């Protein structure tokens, strides 16, 4: 059973009105610009997604909260944008498109169990084109090595860990990290189906 989240109603309204900027926007933009199409997994009200769409980048959004997606859609429509948005939990990801980049900013472990997050990583793997990249940041509740092992278990290779938003080697003082992982260029899906 999925853990409950608070991303509905008044909280969705708050995020749409007051959580609209931050250094993550420019940081993740580099990955999106390098390889599109991209998916903002856990896009919420569109804090990262909307600026990328304004710049003409090919990015879709997915979030568990229909309330947050409604706020994202409303903001996009006010600007004449028509994003492809999907209301799905990460661990049930089943979209009609494959991506060169999937990024998840601030959503790992939010409203989910560790088993669901591992399944989410497997689903991300299956939604990436061969050679595609997954970029995920994390502050809590996981430990660095645990995330690396989860990514490797899901089938990812070339897993790297950097200090958040700087790409520096992480130190013991860094409690906010960014992980990158790549789907191999020509291997089967995470469940062996191909």
């Amino acid at each position: 059973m999925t853990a409950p989240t608070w991303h509905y109603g008044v909280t969705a309204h708050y995020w749409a009105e007051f959580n609209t900027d931050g250094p993550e926007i420019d940081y993740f933009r580099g990955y999106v610009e390098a390889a599109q199409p991209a998916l903002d997994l856990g896009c919420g009200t569109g804090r990262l997604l909307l600026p990328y769409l304004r710049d003409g980048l090919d990015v879709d959004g997915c979030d568990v909260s229909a309330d947050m997606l409604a706020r994202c859609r409303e903001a996009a429509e006010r600007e004449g944008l028509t994003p492809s948005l999907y209301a799905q939990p990460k661990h049930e990801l089943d979209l009609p498109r494959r991506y060169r980049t999937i990024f998840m900013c601030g959503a790992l472990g939010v409203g989910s169990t560790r088993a669901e997050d591992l399944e989410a990583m497997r689903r991300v793997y299956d939604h990436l084109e061969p050679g595609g990249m997954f970029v995920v940041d994390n502050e809590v509740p996981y430990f660095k090595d645990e995330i690396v092992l989860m990514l490797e278990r899901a089938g990812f290779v070339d897993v790297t860990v950097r200090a958040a938003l700087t790409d520096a080697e992480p130190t013991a003082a860094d409690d906010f990290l960014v992980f990158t992982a790549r789907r191999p260029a020509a291997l089967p899906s995470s469940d062996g189906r191909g």
Side-chain angles (χ1 to χ4, degrees), residues 116-138:
E116 288 169 339
D117 284 337
L118 178 57
E119 179 60 23
M121 290 178 185
R122 289 181 176 130
R123 300 272 180 141
V124 165
Y125 180 99
D126 286 342
H127 279 76
L128 283 168
E129 295 177 1
M133 170 137 343
F134 180 39
V135 185
V136 57
D137 65 3
N138 188 36

Side-chain angles (χ1 to χ4, degrees), residues 39 41 89-93 102-104 107-110 112-128 132-138 141-157 159 178-184 188-191 193:
L39 174 66
L41 184 57
K90 299 178 292 285
H91 65 279
E92 294 177 6
L93 190 66
I102 296 177
F103 63 97
M104 189 164 50
L108 181 65
V110 175
S112 56
T113 65
R114 277 176 165 67
E116 288 169 339
D117 284 337
L118 178 57
E119 179 60 23
M121 290 178 185
R122 289 181 176 130
R123 300 272 180 141
V124 165
Y125 180 99
D126 286 342
H127 279 76
L128 283 168
M133 170 137 343
F134 180 39
V135 185
V136 57
D137 65 3
N138 188 36
Y142 296 114
F143 296 103
K144 176 187 85 151
D145 293 338
E146 183 178 7
I147 294 175
V148 169
L149 288 172
M150 289 171 72
L151 289 164
E152 290 173 346
R153 230 175 121 191
F156 288 101
V157 297
V159 177
V178 173
F179 299 78
T180 62
R182 189 169 300 282
R183 178 177 174 156
S189 66
S190 63
D191 63 4
R193 290 178 299 184

Side-chain angles (χ1 to χ4, degrees), residues 26-191:
D26 286 337
Y27 181 80
F28 283 92
R29 181 191 315 269
Y31 290 101
V32 174
E33 288 176 339
Q36 298 167 56
L39 174 66
D40 184 349
L41 184 57
C43 68
T45 58
R47 183 169 66 101
L48 280 68
L49 179 65
L50 292 173
Y52 301 163
L53 293 173
R54 282 184 210 118
D55 291 344
L57 299 175
D58 184 3
V59 186
D60 295 341
C62 182
D63 199 274
V64 68
S65 170
D67 288 1
M68 288 220 173
L69 291 175
R71 299 290 181 166
C72 181
R73 186 173 284 107
E74 290 166 8
E77 288 173 356
R78 284 194 298 272
E79 297 185 40
L81 302 169
T82 55
S84 294
L85 300 175
Y86 303 93
Q88 296 179 8
K90 299 178 292 285
H91 65 279
E92 294 177 6
L93 190 66
D94 187 12
L95 304 181
R97 190 175 191 197
R98 297 299 173 258
Y99 301 92
R100 292 187 64 209
T101 302
I102 296 177
F103 63 97
M104 189 164 50
C105 178
L108 181 65
V110 175
S112 56
T113 65
R114 277 176 165 67
E116 288 169 339
D117 284 337
L118 178 57
E119 179 60 23
M121 290 178 185
R122 289 181 176 130
R123 300 272 180 141
V124 165
Y125 180 99
D126 286 342
H127 279 76
L128 283 168
E129 295 177 1
M133 170 137 343
F134 180 39
V135 185
V136 57
D137 65 3
N138 188 36
E139 185 172 12
V140 290
Y142 296 114
F143 296 103
K144 176 187 85 151
D145 293 338
E146 183 178 7
I147 294 175
V148 169
L149 288 172
M150 289 171 72
L151 289 164
E152 290 173 346
R153 230 175 121 191
F156 288 101
V157 297
D158 303 330
V159 177
T160 65
V161 184
R162 297 286 181 248
L165 312 178
T166 67
D167 286 336
E169 274 299 315
T171 68
D174 291 306
D175 59 358
F176 192 51
L177 304 172
V178 173
F179 299 78
T180 62
R182 189 169 300 282
R183 178 177 174 156
L187 289 179
S189 66
S190 63
D191 63 4

